[in-house]
Amino acid sequence: MTTVATKSSPVDMADMPVQLPGAPAGAAEARARFFNSGNAFNVKLPKVPASCFRAEAEAALDAGGTGLYPCDQSAAIGTEFAATTPLMLARYAAIAPRDTLVADFAATGAIWYVMRGSGSAEIGPERIDFGPGDVFLAPGGVPSKLTATDGGAVLWVVTNEPQLAFDGSRPAPGSDAPIDVVHYPAAEIAAQLGKVVEAAQNATTSGIALIFSSDRQEKARNIMPTLTLSLNTVPAGEQQRAHRHNSAAITLILRGEDCYSMVGGEKCAWSPFATLVTPATEPHSHHNDSAERAMFLIVQDGGLHYHARTMGFAFLE
């Protein structure tokens, strides 16, 4: 009996390992790597948890000293740098009475909210005085020196450090920065929110929220080139209907007893100054079972998606 040799079946493209240069002539050629259309696009990354950071808020509010308390999910999402979501990092900052916290983040900018106390911030050549409920924006590339008054201060701060760390970028220095120091005093925020609450809505309105921007970012309607900041509200006994979007969201609860969020089918009860994480694309809604208006700050990497035309906002009910 004669055996006829057959050609073995080729390896499926999806099962091929990384391809290396056959005969590199030097170090630059040796660094080359190759994939194919079967195995290059099925990268599997850890899911971003829909987390609630409460312990960090309590630690900052109870702190007797000065320090930062990050809402860090880097271990869960597999990054080599601190991150709350792949492109954003939230922290709580405690400042002891008459003490100074120096913040020098490798970020395009930092969005600060004053949870408690008062003080002053020296940001490059500018200085602002802050109090409870204030928001202020500080550009990256220059240190921010925050000094508390006699009662101390606790703040919440969100940056895009993970975005810059991802591709090894550094903040633009000085006058090259795309943002300036901007101060939004609590009284002005309340007045502007009042105008929004009194205005009419239509079927396309996503909620009742005040959006923060600046003269430099007015055209884009963002607070930073890639980040958005909004003060969202839900009237007593109502809910913000379920929706989704391609931007991730980091939420600071300001006011809302008997309130909760539904994220990806899971219920997350609110607590004062907790930080909630809504992963990109997850269906979510916000519910207010109390007798007063619920209020919460939301930072999203929405500016990035608006610029790329990929926000993908949609109501789900």
Side-chain angles (χ1 to χ4, degrees):
M1 179 177 179
T2 304
T3 302
V4 178
T6 60
K7 186 176 180 180
S8 61
S9 299
V11 175
D12 190 288
M13 290 170 60
D15 297 328
M16 292 175 62
V18 59
Q19 296 161 242
L20 306 179
E29 291 185 19
R31 297 187 190 108
R33 298 294 185 270
F34 303 90
F35 291 92
N36 62 67
S37 52
N39 64 11
F41 309 118
N42 60 351
V43 178
K44 294 179 175 59
L45 299 174
K47 187 176 181 179
V48 177
S51 303
C52 180
F53 291 90
R54 294 187 175 89
E56 291 78 5
E58 293 171 359
L61 288 165
D62 295 339
T66 298
L68 295 169
Y69 301 81
C71 301
D72 185 13
Q73 299 202 112
S74 56
I77 65 178
T79 62
E80 297 179 357
F81 41 81
T84 307
T85 69
L87 300 178
M88 297 181 288
L89 175 60
R91 296 181 179 90
Y92 296 92
I95 310 174
R98 299 177 301 282
D99 200 4
T100 297
L101 172 72
V102 178
D104 191 6
F105 304 130
T108 305
I111 302 166
W112 295 86
Y113 173 78
V114 185
M115 294 166 48
R116 186 179 72 190
S118 59
S120 62
E122 296 180 19
I123 308 165
E126 299 192 53
R127 171 190 162 125
I128 63 169
D129 295 321
F130 61 78
D134 284 11
V135 171
F136 60 93
L137 176 67
V142 295
S144 296
K145 298 180 181 179
L146 281 64
T147 302
T149 55
D150 290 347
V154 180
L155 301 90
W156 186 71
V157 57
V158 179
T159 71
N160 67 334
E161 290 164 89
Q163 175 194 333
L164 270 63
F166 178 66
D167 64 2
S169 298
R170 299 294 300 174
S175 60
D176 293 333
I179 58 175
D180 300 307
V181 177
V182 186
H183 187 197
Y184 310 85
E188 185 64 36
I189 293 172
Q192 296 292 343
L193 178 62
K195 298 177 182 179
V196 175
V197 170
E198 293 172 0
Q201 302 178 53
N202 59 53
T204 65
T205 306
S206 61
I208 304 173
L210 179 68
I211 312 302
F212 294 73
S213 189
S214 69
D215 54 351
R216 295 275 299 277
Q217 294 295 320
E218 182 178 351
K219 182 178 179 180
R221 305 179 187 181
N222 305 326
I223 193 167
M224 286 169 48
T226 62
L227 300 188
T228 62
L229 174 67
S230 61
L231 175 56
N232 283 28
T233 75
V234 177
E238 297 186 16
Q239 70 176 63
Q240 185 180 16
R241 54 179 168 155
H243 58 283
R244 65 169 300 283
H245 38 70
N246 292 332
S247 58
I250 301 177
T251 300
L252 178 69
I253 303 303
L254 302 183
R255 187 176 72 195
E257 291 189 11
D258 297 321
C259 296
Y260 63 94
S261 295
M262 295 295 298
V263 182
E266 298 292 328
K267 182 177 180 179
C268 179
W270 289 13
S271 58
F273 293 125
T275 294
L276 314 182
V277 178
T278 303
T281 75
E282 285 283 9
H284 57 283
S285 56
H286 307 296
H287 305 255
N288 182 2
D289 293 340
S290 75
E292 63 177 357
R293 181 177 295 274
M295 300 180 66
F296 46 112
L297 276 176
I298 300 183
V299 181
Q300 299 183 41
D301 49 14
L304 183 72
H305 289 280
Y306 287 131
H307 179 69
R309 286 72 164 172
T310 57
M311 179 55 82
F313 182 94
F315 289 116
L316 303 177
E317 58 184 42

